[in-house]
Every structure is written in C-alpha cells, then in structure tokens.
Amino acid sequence: QVQLVESGGGSVQAGGSLRLSCAASGDTFNYYCMGWFRQAPGKEREGVARISQAGAVVTYADSVKGRFTISRDNSKNTLYLQMNRLKPEDTAMYYCAAARRFSDCDLGPKRYNYWGQGTQVTVSS
C-alpha cells in the first residue's frame, strides 16, 4: 500500500496560482499511476489530471487544460499540480490518488486504489 498526503492548498484571488504537492510513502512510488481529483460541495468528484508511472502519458480535463500542469518527481516520491489562472469555479477539495494499473488510471475516480486526505483550494473573485 501507499500513503498519500496533499499540501499546498489555500486561498487565492482569481487569476492567481497555486502548486499542490502529494507526498507518497510506503510502496515504491513509480509503481503507481497518479491522478488529481477535486470535489466541490454538492457535486460529484471529478478527475482533473492523471500521469503515468514514468510521466510519459498525461491527460487533463477540458476544464483545466492549458491552465494546470501535472508532474511527478519519482526520485522525491512526489506528485505535483501547478495551477495557473485560477477561477472561482476551481474552488474545491483537491485529492491525489494512486492506481496500481495503468488501465485503471483515468479521469474517473472509481478505479483508484489509494487516496490522500485532501487539501482545500478556494478561489475568490
């Protein structure tokens, strides 16, 4: 198993930037495909971005494409989400997640095996 801990959330004005981090421990980090998800109150959890084990395959939700960048540093066992030009509709709890199989690593949350506790992102207008 792997333990995941998110950090870097906070409050920012529209147009600003934040960088989220997800620190992994336990299993070897590069065994896992990783994803970022978010959930706003009263809404379903949605996929934001995913990245394959070696970082070669990256996918973004249309709502964040061109503004967010997912990356990973396997030597540091850390996943990142750089968020630029933030909008109020980006306000949500953000979670990182790990999938054992690449085939399960998409923008749907149901197939991921491990989850972090979340970090809150609030974007004001």
Side-chain angles (χ1 to χ4, degrees):
Q1 64 178 21
V2 62
Q3 293 78 45
L4 306 172
V5 180
E6 302 95 334
S7 63
S11 297
V12 65
Q13 293 184 353
S17 298
L18 287 172
R19 189 177 77 159
L20 306 183
S21 298
C22 174
S25 61
D27 286 351
T28 302
F29 180 58
N30 65 356
Y31 285 177
Y32 295 93
C33 185
M34 303 293 297
W36 284 102
F37 297 82
R38 66 186 183 186
Q39 188 167 20
K43 296 185 178 180
E44 295 182 355
R45 187 169 298 187
E46 64 174 343
V48 175
R50 66 95 179 231
I51 186 167
S52 62
Q53 287 88 337
V57 182
V58 176
T59 305
Y60 297 96
D62 288 342
S63 60
V64 307
K65 194 172 298 181
R67 299 188 298 119
F68 291 9
T69 302
I70 188 172
S71 62
R72 64 193 296 165
D73 187 340
N74 288 341
S75 70
K76 298 180 179 180
N77 295 341
T78 303
L79 175 75
Y80 302 99
L81 184 68
Q82 179 66 47
M83 305 185 294
N84 297 325
R85 301 188 300 280
L86 283 161
K87 303 175 181 179
E89 50 262 46
D90 295 319
T91 295
M93 185 73 72
Y94 282 72
Y95 302 88
C96 67
R100 300 191 194 102
R101 302 176 180 178
F102 178 75
S103 60
D104 293 336
C105 187
D106 55 22
L107 295 181
K110 295 183 178 180
R111 296 179 181 177
Y112 284 76
N113 302 107
Y114 304 103
W115 293 84
Q117 83 291 345
T119 185
Q120 179 67 41
V121 172
T122 302
V123 184
S124 62
S125 60

